[in-house]
Amino acid sequence: MYPTGQQISFHAAVQDPLMVDPKETTQNGGGISQAEFALFTSNRIQSDLEAMGIKLKLHEDNLKFLKAQKTKLDESILDLQVHMNKLNPSGPPRSENCDANLQGEDINEQILRQANSAAGVLAHVQSRHSSQMTLTKGVVGVVAKLGKVHDENLSQVLSVYLGTRSMLALVCKDYDSVKGLESYDSQGNVDRNAGLHGLASSIGRTIEGHFDAISLENLRPYVGQYIAGDPQRRLNLLKPKLPNGEYPPGFLGFAVNMIQIDPAYLLCVTAYGHGLRETLFYSLFSRLQVYKKRGDMISALPCISEGAVSLDGGIVRTGGILTLGSSDEVKVRFAKPSASRAMDNHSEAERQMKELKQKKEKTLEDIKRTQVLRDHAVYNFGKKKDEFVRFLAQSASTSMSQ
């Protein structure tokens, strides 16, 4: 490899030629010394390695950027699917144990039919006895009236998930408002002549059984970010991912974000400035996931931590408890909102979906191409690195043998 009769030191391979001991180098007819040749070769290989390293990092940065872009496109496609699901309901309501009278019935009528419930008494008093409303001034409303759902099948399964008792729960601003609903005698028994029971008695009714009253200020609110630019102030929850990193097929969104809330209740319902979504509905649903079909929901079990429902009636509760069999009769469901002028029409949503999918396909092609370039750069860098290691080893061996 080198001219015969020349000596080379391993250290000389990385020294400046001017610092090389003259005793360790000789001239061969005015040519370059062995030490200088070794230094030149070392510098050349190191320069090649540096250039290759820069090129490799460029490919890796590009790959990282493209993968992040794909993730954003996946999220945008998923969000648009949720929006399109609202524009295009899943179909006619499932008939299984669904009261036909609820279809198209006003939510107030649904509640008034529960005549001997606290919600039924409250609805009756609010509609016909406004002079007696002092007692209930701290009551925000009934759960079933405070949210609306675009899809009737979703409304049905969410109502089953919560149960009639929760759907008819009275929502109060604070605990003082809750205390005003019921009083007790010295024995701890309910005083039927006071509070909401007294109102029921005054209209010839009796509140049967237990009923729930929710104090908004005593609920632990959601702490986190909101979806930017969303007038409904939906919660920016982390979307579920399967072990392979992909979003589960059929995932439509989180139940807490699929409830439409009256603008009056989006902000400052409590003294701390919280609205109904981050207090009431986050408490009721937490991170309950919604899927298109039961099969999609079952396939996504590895990434379901706080329950899930499907539009065809499937229910998975927290802790991996699956609800099987026929559902109970749905007595009260969330109302369906009227069409919003601000909502994009379905054809526009389809156009956006087509555009997003085209961008995703192009990004996937760019990822494959960049991956090939990156793998080729890694291979070349490895070969050059091996060449440098062999050169150093050979230089050290030659120096030691001489």
Side-chain angles (χ1 to χ4, degrees):
M1 181 176 179
Y2 304 109
T4 57
Q6 302 294 326
Q7 293 183 347
I8 183 171
S9 170
F10 171 72
H11 298 288
V14 292
Q15 289 177 331
D16 190 300
L18 299 177
M19 301 301 294
V20 177
D21 190 339
K23 296 180 180 180
E24 295 181 356
T25 61
T26 60
Q27 298 294 325
N28 185 10
I32 188 172
S33 71
Q34 187 171 354
E36 289 174 329
F37 181 76
L39 178 60
F40 169 78
T41 304
S42 174
N43 288 339
R44 177 181 60 79
I45 296 177
Q46 289 185 71
S47 178
D48 289 345
L49 279 173
E50 184 178 354
M52 288 180 174
I54 292 173
K55 191 173 183 180
L56 175 58
K57 187 175 186 305
L58 178 63
H59 290 317
E60 289 180 337
D61 289 344
N62 287 339
L63 196 60
K64 183 178 179 180
F65 170 77
L66 289 170
K67 287 182 177 180
Q69 192 174 43
K70 175 187 172 295
T71 299
K72 289 182 179 180
L73 287 170
D74 285 339
E75 292 178 352
S76 297
I77 289 172
L78 195 58
D79 291 338
L80 188 56
Q81 284 176 342
V82 173
H83 178 63
M84 291 178 69
N85 182 67
K86 294 176 182 178
L87 296 177
N88 186 25
S90 61
R94 296 167 50 252
S95 59
E96 178 187 319
N97 291 328
C98 178
D99 191 339
N101 293 325
L102 297 184
Q103 299 180 27
E105 183 181 47
D106 181 80
I107 184 64
N108 288 317
E109 293 300 321
Q110 294 180 29
I111 295 174
L112 286 170
R113 289 174 62 194
Q114 314 304 314
N116 292 322
S117 68
V121 169
L122 179 65
H124 182 85
V125 171
Q126 287 176 331
S127 62
R128 303 178 187 179
H129 302 274
S130 57
S131 62
Q132 297 178 331
M133 292 306 297
T134 304
L135 174 69
T136 59
K137 64 179 182 179
V139 178
V140 178
V142 178
V143 168
K145 292 182 63 176
L146 295 176
K148 296 180 180 180
V149 178
H150 289 268
D151 189 280
E152 292 189 14
N153 285 325
L154 178 59
S155 176
Q156 181 176 337
V157 73
L158 291 181
S159 300
V160 173
Y161 177 84
L162 291 179
T164 301
R165 178 165 162 173
S166 291
M167 289 291 289
L168 294 176
L170 305 186
V171 180
C172 304
K173 290 186 176 181
D174 49 37
Y175 182 64
D176 287 338
S177 301
V178 173
K179 288 193 299 182
L181 298 177
E182 191 168 86
S183 298
Y184 310 92
D185 60 24
S186 59
Q187 303 299 318
N189 299 314
V190 174
D191 185 350
R192 296 287 174 177
N193 296 314
L196 197 57
H197 296 278
L199 284 181
S201 179
S202 68
I203 60 175
R205 298 185 184 181
T206 301
I207 297 176
E208 298 175 350
H210 292 97
F211 67 92
D212 292 337
I214 301 172
S215 170
L216 292 177
E217 289 200 348
N218 292 99
L219 297 178
R220 178 176 295 178
Y222 163 78
V223 178
Q225 300 296 317
Y226 296 84
I227 296 177
D230 183 6
Q232 276 281 306
R233 283 176 55 83
R234 290 179 175 86
L235 314 183
N236 191 8
L237 301 174
L238 187 65
K239 296 179 180 64
K241 286 188 178 182
L242 295 169
N244 62 4
E246 297 292 329
Y247 293 113
F251 174 73
L252 299 177
F254 293 96
V256 67
N257 284 338
M258 300 178 82
I259 302 290
Q260 181 170 315
I261 300 173
D262 189 296
Y265 297 133
L266 288 173
L267 285 169
C268 298
V269 179
T270 71
Y272 297 100
H274 298 302
L276 288 184
R277 192 180 305 281
E278 62 267 35
T279 54
L280 173 65
F281 290 108
Y282 185 70
S283 176
L284 292 173
F285 294 121
S286 188
R287 287 173 167 79
L288 182 75
Q289 300 173 23
V290 179
Y291 288 85
K292 189 171 184 179
K293 297 180 180 179
R294 191 189 307 262
D296 297 330
M297 180 181 70
I298 298 303
S299 298
L301 282 176
C303 59
I304 295 175
S305 60
E306 299 184 50
V309 297
S310 62
L311 297 184
D312 54 4
I315 296 179
V316 174
R317 299 186 183 274
T318 303
I321 301 174
L322 279 72
T323 299
L324 305 178
S326 300
S327 62
D328 298 330
E329 181 182 348
V330 179
K331 297 180 179 179
V332 181
R333 293 192 307 182
F334 289 107
K336 187 175 182 179
S338 57
S340 172
R341 289 178 298 176
M343 186 181 297
D344 295 331
N345 57 47
H346 195 265
S347 60
E348 173 64 16
E350 285 183 331
R351 185 195 66 77
Q352 293 177 9
M353 179 63 76
K354 182 178 180 180
E355 184 178 318
L356 286 172
K357 287 184 175 180
Q358 287 176 343
K359 288 182 178 179
K360 180 180 176 180
E361 289 178 3
K362 184 179 182 302
T363 301
L364 287 173
E365 291 175 358
D366 291 342
I367 288 176
K368 289 180 181 179
R369 184 165 50 252
T370 305
Q371 184 70 53
V372 171
L373 293 174
R374 183 258 180 196
D375 292 343
H376 186 64
V378 168
Y379 174 75
N380 288 337
F381 185 84
K383 284 187 64 178
K384 183 62 66 173
K385 182 179 178 182
D386 291 342
E387 178 186 344
F388 187 50
V389 170
R390 287 195 303 271
F391 167 74
L392 292 179
Q394 186 176 4
S395 298
S397 175
T398 301
S399 176
M400 291 178 64
S401 64
Q402 294 179 354

